[in-house]
Amino acid sequence: MTDVAPRRTRLMQRAEKAAALAAAEARRRARRGGTRPPAPVDRDLPVRVVEVAVEAPDAVGLRLEHRDRSDLPAWRPGAHVDVVLPSGRVRQYSLCGDPRDRSTYRIAVRRIDDGDGGSKEMHALTPGDALVLRGPRNAFPLVRAQQYLFVAGGIGITPLAPMARAAAASGIPWRLVHTGRDLASLPLSAALLAQYPAHVRRRSDTGHGGRPSAAELLNGLTGDTAVYVCGPPPMIELLRAAVPATVAFHSERFSPPPVRAGRPFTVRVGVDGPAVEVAADRSALHAIRAAYPAVPYSCQQGFCGTCHVPLLAGGTTGDTAGPGRTALCVARAAGTEIVVDLPAAARSMQR
């Protein structure tokens, strides 16, 4: 007969040790000045769509208000909200309006025709439709600097537009470069150009014979400039490699970060459950969902909390979840194996 009590005691000891290691790693990151994930926001905001406007051929802007028309929570440039769609999908969108206006929030959404349907559902919304928001949270804050260079690719303008306005209001020198395939595909920046013509450049691939080089986008960069970039991963990586290490570089992407220098490891589902192998170039979330397709996820970047699950045993690296939990989308095992728990609904739908 198996002695269950000692096993549970050992399991609790391992879980407590893993939690202590995670807390220590969080403290080390804070001391190094690294960006910490935003605190969870356990708050549901019932809102309704007030206005839907065409911002580009494949992008719409939505204005949202609280259903009782009360003020919405305060926010700062760089903040985003989680949007809970009628289907139950959860998607993150940057707030792109004026933080001083708490009567409404503004977001902009690009339609992704080959996506999983979230953007199409957003594009189908009409005035009066009800939604639930969670947040706002800020994983991309605007830090104080002598001057700023904002570089946006396509819909990446959304968090940068409020930053540009904040810089202008504070009197800090700034420039914004907005790139995309053609001028019609660049949402929001036409209004910025009209308001700040000396600070904004809208740069199209069609009008300049192709995509811009890093040298073009960073032209005139000085050592006291903070560079903020938001857009497609290739553009972010191009600029990250070109910006000197002495220059502050901040970026936000709208897709999962690539796995670099990863090692394979095993995720065991439950103490006596099946083992799921995670390849060196894949996330635990990717591997888990291949076996358990009902495991929920959203941002895939560690901050939204949707895929955070209890960590029963083993240590992790790169984890953004709190003590005793792990973020399947970004965390990797510190050793060869971790043990996690999954929601009952997800376990019941194993392939």
Side-chain angles (χ1 to χ4, degrees):
M1 180 176 178
T2 303
D3 192 343
V4 177
R7 178 188 297 175
R8 286 180 176 169
T9 300
R10 291 193 299 272
L11 184 60
M12 289 299 295
Q13 290 173 342
R14 289 197 295 268
E16 290 170 358
K17 183 178 180 181
L21 289 171
E25 174 63 20
R27 289 193 295 271
R28 284 194 294 271
R29 286 198 300 267
R31 285 197 299 270
R32 292 196 301 265
T35 300
R36 289 173 290 175
V41 177
D42 297 322
R43 171 176 58 204
D44 285 354
L45 298 173
V47 299
R48 68 167 61 88
V49 178
V50 177
E51 179 184 33
V52 179
V54 176
E55 300 288 352
D58 59 352
V60 296
L62 292 93
R63 193 159 58 90
L64 312 170
E65 70 174 7
H66 200 289
R67 289 182 213 169
D68 64 9
R69 297 187 176 178
S70 61
D71 281 351
L72 293 163
W75 61 281
R76 293 182 178 180
H80 70 272
V81 289
D82 300 345
V83 179
V84 184
L85 289 160
S87 67
R89 293 183 177 97
V90 181
R91 295 294 179 267
Q92 286 74 39
Y93 298 104
S94 297
L95 293 172
C96 59
D98 184 350
R100 296 170 299 180
D101 179 10
R102 295 180 55 188
S103 65
T104 60
Y105 284 163
R106 286 188 63 203
I107 60 175
V109 182
R110 172 150 283 163
R111 186 182 65 251
I112 303 173
D113 291 328
D114 59 352
D116 62 1
S119 66
K120 292 180 181 178
E121 191 174 356
M122 290 292 293
H123 274 244
L125 294 172
T126 59
D129 286 345
L131 296 169
V132 171
L133 304 183
R134 293 176 185 149
R137 292 180 290 179
N138 201 331
F140 192 41
L142 181 65
V143 300
R144 188 77 178 179
Q146 296 299 309
Q147 55 183 319
Y148 298 102
L149 171 61
F150 304 111
V151 182
I155 198 65
I157 187 66
T158 50
L160 301 184
M163 292 185 183
R165 293 192 178 95
S170 66
I172 298 174
W174 63 278
R175 292 184 295 126
L176 167 70
V177 182
H178 192 187
T179 73
R181 63 180 180 274
D182 53 52
L183 292 180
S185 70
L186 303 181
L188 305 181
S189 58
L192 285 170
L193 177 63
Q195 189 172 5
Y196 307 106
H199 297 263
V200 178
R201 181 186 178 210
R202 304 177 82 226
R203 196 268 188 203
S204 68
D205 297 345
T206 56
H208 292 78
R211 294 178 181 176
S213 65
E216 179 184 348
L217 294 175
L218 300 174
N219 183 43
L221 181 66
T222 58
D224 60 354
T225 302
V227 179
Y228 276 79
V229 184
C230 187
M235 187 188 78
I236 293 175
E237 297 309 313
L238 175 74
L239 296 181
R240 187 192 304 276
V243 170
T246 54
V247 173
F249 184 88
H250 309 266
S251 65
E252 185 174 61
R253 62 177 72 239
F254 294 133
S255 61
V259 178
R260 293 189 177 90
R263 295 185 297 104
F265 63 97
T266 301
V267 178
R268 189 170 296 279
V269 180
V271 179
D272 298 314
V276 176
E277 301 302 324
V278 182
D281 61 347
R282 292 289 185 268
S283 68
L285 177 64
H286 181 273
I288 286 284
R289 279 187 54 83
Y292 298 87
V295 169
Y297 73 99
S298 187
C299 75
Q300 299 186 71
Q301 297 177 63
F303 60 76
C304 73
T306 304
C307 73
H308 294 188
V309 297
L311 178 64
L312 303 180
T316 59
T317 62
D319 212 335
T320 58
R325 297 180 69 78
T326 185
L328 293 174
C329 62
V330 294
R332 303 191 74 78
T336 59
E337 180 179 281
I338 58 174
V339 182
V340 304
D341 193 14
L342 297 181
R347 291 197 310 270
S348 66
M349 295 185 65
Q350 182 182 11
R351 280 183 176 151

